[in-house]
Amino acid sequence: MTSLSKTILLVDDDQEIRDLLNTYLSRAGFTVRAVGDGLGFRASLALEPADLVILDVQLPDEDGFSLCRWVRQHPRFAHVPIIMLTASSDEADRVIGLELGADDYLGKPFSPRELQARIKALLRRAQFGQERPVSDVLAFDDWRLDQVSHRLFHLDGEEVFLSGADFALLKLFLDHPQQILDRDTIGNATRGRDLMPLDRIVDMAVSRLRQRLRDTGKAPRLIRTVRGSGYLLAASVTPHLGNAV
């Protein structure tokens, strides 16, 4: 995958950081749009889509968490990968960002080279998710997953928009139904980082996906915990002809 023609929307109130990353990422072949607050971010994304968002947590008018939530709830942007930047060393910030649907996070100060590597990894994953599958729609339990739009549909008509990380994890389970997936395998799919214990990353990702699938009882029915081993999707998966709904 080449970075050419890939557009990055950078949101940070620090002018020096915006100038630095604009220069660095532009030299790497990306098209960069940079804004300094939440209002500018909403306007820029509504005006023109982006392939990836770099979102600072602390902004003058609106925090990055609420903006991340807004992106994930918006049908047009729900699939866009988000990297959150945080100046706080508090693990709670990273947990909140991941729970809201951020795909990755990076603490300040950071290396532009490391940021570029994470950008490329997320764009590769997004491109892989957009490759046309043999069947556009997969059926499992009472759900239908549209693999092209990354939208999830329940038989009762509810439509769920998945983040990139949610889609990657669900697709992993659907590709391996009735099989135990260990934490290392799931961690690779959800892009866990060594800044947080792998088990915590995996458990959070699975918990978030269970919420999407209404599988939140004391004994989850769809995604089951196999103690000491990992998780298992307890459902048959079949190609679904026609639309997801």
Side-chain angles (χ1 to χ4, degrees):
M1 183 210 73
T2 177
S3 61
L4 294 177
S5 78
K6 296 297 183 181
T7 299
I8 296 175
L9 179 52
L10 168 64
V11 192
D12 198 300
D13 64 341
D14 189 318
Q15 183 67 51
E16 291 187 5
I17 290 179
R18 293 203 304 271
D19 291 344
L20 170 66
L21 292 182
N22 195 343
T23 300
Y24 186 87
L25 295 175
S26 295
R27 287 176 179 172
F30 295 101
T31 298
V32 181
R33 304 202 311 269
V35 297
D37 55 28
L39 183 63
F41 169 65
R42 289 175 183 267
S44 181
L45 195 59
L47 183 65
E48 185 179 355
D51 296 296
L52 182 139
V53 169
I54 300 173
L55 180 59
D56 190 20
V57 170
Q58 296 180 337
L59 296 170
D61 59 344
E62 186 175 3
D63 67 62
F65 298 133
S66 63
L67 293 172
C68 180
R69 183 186 297 110
W70 174 73
V71 171
R72 290 298 174 239
Q73 293 175 343
H74 200 294
R76 287 181 59 199
F77 321 130
H79 65 283
V80 176
I82 297 175
I83 298 177
M84 298 200 77
L85 303 179
T86 174
S88 171
S89 60
D90 189 353
E91 183 179 290
D93 277 1
R94 298 191 290 272
V95 171
I96 293 171
L98 292 171
E99 287 180 339
L100 291 175
D103 296 275
D104 205 348
Y105 55 83
L106 200 57
K108 294 180 178 180
F110 57 86
S111 161
R113 180 176 297 181
E114 181 179 4
L115 176 61
Q116 181 182 343
R118 296 192 183 193
I119 289 170
K120 289 183 175 179
L122 284 176
L123 289 175
R124 279 196 299 270
R125 190 182 73 184
Q127 183 181 46
F128 175 78
Q130 291 170 0
E131 292 176 356
R132 196 161 189 86
V134 175
S135 174
D136 289 350
V137 180
L138 294 178
F140 64 102
D141 197 62
D142 292 332
W143 295 93
R144 305 289 182 267
L145 175 67
D146 187 320
Q147 300 183 83
V148 177
S149 67
H150 293 194
R151 293 184 297 174
L152 183 65
F153 298 88
H154 193 270
L155 292 184
D156 66 8
E158 179 191 4
E159 181 177 357
V160 178
F161 294 91
L162 301 174
S163 71
D166 291 334
F167 175 81
L169 179 55
L170 178 56
K171 187 67 166 58
L172 179 67
F173 278 118
L174 296 181
D175 286 343
H176 304 86
Q178 310 288 348
Q179 298 180 35
I180 298 174
L181 301 179
D182 61 34
R183 280 179 162 77
D184 287 336
T185 300
I186 296 174
N188 288 334
T190 53
R191 304 198 50 73
R193 297 295 179 186
D194 57 5
L195 296 177
M196 194 183 299
L198 177 61
D199 286 359
R200 184 84 179 274
I201 289 281
V202 170
D203 293 342
M204 284 169 46
V206 171
S207 176
R208 188 172 61 240
L209 183 58
R210 281 172 169 163
Q211 292 176 21
R212 305 289 188 267
L213 297 172
R214 307 179 183 176
D215 194 30
T216 56
K218 290 185 177 180
R221 181 178 59 86
L222 266 180
I223 301 179
R224 297 179 181 173
T225 302
V226 182
R227 294 194 177 279
S229 298
Y231 294 95
L232 175 146
L233 177 68
S236 298
V237 180
T238 58
H240 180 72
L241 300 178
N243 296 328
V245 291

